[in-house]
Amino acid sequence: MTETEIEITVLGSLAELTPQEWDACACPEDTDGRPEDPFTTYRFLRALETSGSVGQGTGWQPQYLIARAGGQVIATAPLYLKGHSQGEYIFDYNWAHAYENAGGRYYPKLQLSVPFTPVTGRRFLTRPGWEETGIAALTQGAVQLAANNQLSSIHVTFCTEAEADAGAQMGLMRRASQQFHWHNDGYDTFDDFLASLSARKRKNIRKERKQANAFGGDILCLTGDQIEPEHWDAFWVFYQDTGARKWGTPYLTRSFFDEMQISMRDDMLLVLAQLDGRYVAGALNFIGRNTLYGRYWGCREDHPALHFELCYYRAIDFAIAHGLSTVEAGAQGSHKLARGYLPVETHSLHWMRDEGFRDAVGRFLEAEREAINEEIEVLTEYGPFKKTQGDDHD
C-alpha cells in the first residue's frame, strides 16, 4: 500500500458519523451475517449515548477517534474521557491513589473501551486492509490527545491479543487479567458436554439443574420479536437491584433497554424465570457470530440454583443449539469453574504520561502477569473435566 496521509479527528458524538462509516470499520463482516462483536457496533454505542448512559454527568464523555485517508474513514475507536474508574472491570484504583498521593492528577484519563462491558473484542476498529496503518494512527492519535491535554494516562481494556501485541510493539504497557469462558468442543447436546466432565462434577450439575427447574414456575428463553416491553419492565427491576448492590447505582438507564428493543433485539437472548404470573429472575445475553456474551443477572426472589441455571446452563444450551463456539460469562467468579467455564487470559494496554509513574506501573504489571498466568494454570488443572478414564463412572 502506498503511503497515504492520515487525518485524525475527535468526535463528541456518533451522530457526527453515519452508521455505515462506523460499521465499515467495526463490523465489516455484518454484510455477511451477524457481527462478530455486537458491542462495538454503531447501534450499541449510539444507544449508550441517546439513553444518557454515557455523556454529560456520567463520567464517560465520548471522544471517538476517527482516522481518514483520502476523505474515507479507515479506522475508528470508542474513546472516552473518564472522570473516575467505574464501569471498567480492569481495576486501576490503586494506581490513581498512588499517583494523587504523589501530587499528580490522575483524572480525567482516557479510556478506549466499550463502557460497562468486560468483553474481549477489537478496540482499534479498522477497515479490511487498513489494520496496521489504522492501529498505528489511532494509537498515535490517542497519545497525542492525552499529551496535548496533559492527561495522566490511556487505558485500552479488553482488547484482542493481537492488539495487545501490536500496542506493546508501539511502546504501550500490556496487562493480563483473567475471566471464565465455556468452550464448545463440538457438542450436539448438553449431555455430550456433561459426558466430558468428571463424574462428581457431572452429578453436581445434574443436581443443580433439577433443583433449579423445580422452583415451581417456567423458564422462558426469548430472542427477537419474542421480547416484549413487559419483559424489559421486569428485567429493569432485576438490573436495578444488582446494580445497587454491586456498584451503588446502575450504570445503564432504563431507556437504554428500550433502545436495545428497537435496534438490537435480534442480537439478544433474554432468559426469564416466571412464577405465578410474575417474573422473579432474569439473565441478559448478547449474541455474537461465534460467541454468546452473558451480561446481566438479577432477581426479586432467591430460589436454589436458579442463578446457575439462567446464567450458565441455559447459555450453554443456547450455544450448543446454535453452533456457537464460546460462552463468555462476564467478569470474575471462580464459582464458574465447577460449571464448565475455564479460565482464559484477557488483555489490556496502558500508557502513562509521567515517566517515573510509567516505570513503577510497568514493574507492577510484570509481576501481576506472572501471577495471573500461574493462577490460570492452577485453575485449569482443577477444572471439572475428566483427567483419566477412571473419572467416567457415575
Side-chain angles (χ1 to χ4, degrees):
M1 183 181 297
T2 58
E3 188 170 334
T4 305
E5 183 175 343
I6 306 297
E7 177 193 11
I8 299 288
T9 55
V10 179
L11 303 183
S13 171
L14 279 185
E16 301 176 51
L17 209 65
T18 68
Q20 293 77 18
E21 287 175 309
W22 182 273
D23 286 344
C25 301
C27 53
E29 74 282 354
D30 194 18
T31 57
D32 186 31
R34 194 184 295 278
E36 292 280 351
D37 180 356
F39 303 107
T40 53
T41 60
Y42 185 97
R43 59 187 185 275
F44 184 87
L45 296 171
R46 180 69 176 134
L48 290 174
E49 281 188 58
T50 57
S51 67
S53 300
V54 301
Q56 191 68 34
T58 67
W60 289 84
Q61 195 61 40
Q63 301 279 281
Y64 305 108
L65 284 183
I66 311 299
R68 290 181 172 87
Q72 180 188 56
V73 175
I74 58 100
T76 66
L79 184 67
Y80 298 85
L81 186 68
K82 287 295 306 294
H84 50 66
S85 291
Q86 298 167 15
E88 297 169 6
Y89 302 95
I90 299 294
F91 302 112
D92 65 345
Y93 295 106
N94 289 340
W95 300 357
H97 292 156
Y99 195 67
E100 293 182 350
N101 286 341
R105 184 184 178 204
Y106 194 74
Y107 303 108
K109 61 177 183 174
L110 289 177
Q111 190 79 19
L112 205 160
S113 69
V114 178
F116 327 120
T117 307
V119 167
T120 292
R122 290 189 305 131
R123 295 295 173 258
F124 301 95
L125 311 174
T126 61
R127 279 182 179 267
W130 289 92
E131 289 82 1
E132 185 175 346
T133 302
I135 290 175
L138 293 171
T139 300
Q140 292 165 12
V143 169
Q144 193 65 53
L145 182 64
N148 289 349
N149 292 278
Q150 296 187 315
L151 303 179
S152 69
S153 52
I154 304 168
H155 308 270
V156 185
T157 46
F158 295 100
C159 61
T160 66
E161 185 175 7
E163 289 175 326
D165 291 340
Q169 291 175 8
M170 286 184 278
L172 277 65
M173 297 181 293
R174 64 186 302 168
R175 187 177 190 181
S177 305
Q178 178 239 305
Q179 287 185 341
F180 293 90
H181 297 172
W182 179 86
H183 297 284
N184 187 350
D185 194 17
Y187 307 122
D188 290 323
T189 66
F190 193 90
D191 282 340
D192 289 343
F193 158 60
L194 288 181
S196 69
L197 305 180
S198 68
R200 187 167 63 88
K201 298 301 184 183
R202 187 162 59 238
K203 286 179 181 178
N204 183 64
I205 289 176
R206 284 174 176 157
K207 179 181 177 181
E208 284 185 342
R209 296 208 76 177
K210 183 177 180 180
Q211 190 177 35
N213 284 281
F215 80 103
D218 299 310
I219 296 176
L220 311 176
C221 296
L222 309 170
T223 61
D225 291 339
Q226 296 172 325
I227 305 175
E228 298 180 356
E230 69 175 80
H231 300 133
W232 291 123
D233 290 338
F235 189 77
W236 173 244
V237 174
F238 308 147
Y239 175 72
Q240 280 185 299
D241 176 69
T242 301
R245 284 187 287 107
K246 283 190 173 183
W247 318 305
T249 56
Y251 293 142
L252 301 170
T253 64
R254 174 64 180 86
S255 63
F256 173 80
F257 296 99
D258 293 332
E259 295 284 345
M260 292 294 94
Q261 172 71 8
I262 294 168
S263 63
M264 296 195 70
R265 61 183 178 273
D266 290 334
D267 301 295
M268 292 185 293
L269 168 67
L270 183 59
V271 185
L272 293 172
Q274 189 176 39
L275 179 63
D276 297 331
R278 67 187 190 281
Y279 297 106
V280 298
L284 177 61
N285 307 266
F286 282 79
I287 309 167
R289 177 173 288 203
N290 300 302
T291 302
L292 185 69
Y293 302 96
R295 291 301 302 114
Y296 301 108
W297 145 267
C299 64
R300 298 180 64 182
E301 301 176 4
D302 289 324
H303 293 274
L306 196 59
H307 172 239
F308 302 139
E309 178 68 17
L310 268 59
C311 291
Y312 308 138
Y313 303 141
R314 293 293 171 128
I316 291 173
D317 279 338
F318 186 90
I320 292 173
H322 292 82
L324 301 179
S325 61
T326 308
V327 178
E328 292 195 18
Q332 304 168 323
S334 57
H335 60 278
K336 298 165 186 170
L337 185 67
R339 289 154 188 97
Y341 291 73
L342 291 178
V344 298
E345 184 178 356
T346 57
H347 310 275
S348 60
L349 291 164
H350 306 270
W351 175 89
M352 307 290 169
R353 184 166 58 89
D354 183 274
E355 185 176 347
F357 189 56
R358 181 166 62 245
D359 290 343
V361 170
R363 290 192 296 273
F364 168 81
L365 292 180
E366 186 175 347
E368 183 189 48
R369 186 161 50 249
E370 291 180 9
I372 290 289
N373 291 335
E374 190 174 306
E375 182 181 14
I376 289 174
E377 186 176 338
V378 170
L379 288 172
T380 301
E381 179 63 26
Y382 279 93
F385 293 89
K386 294 175 187 173
K387 305 296 189 298
T388 67
Q389 286 299 112
D391 289 335
D392 197 29
H393 302 292
D394 284 314

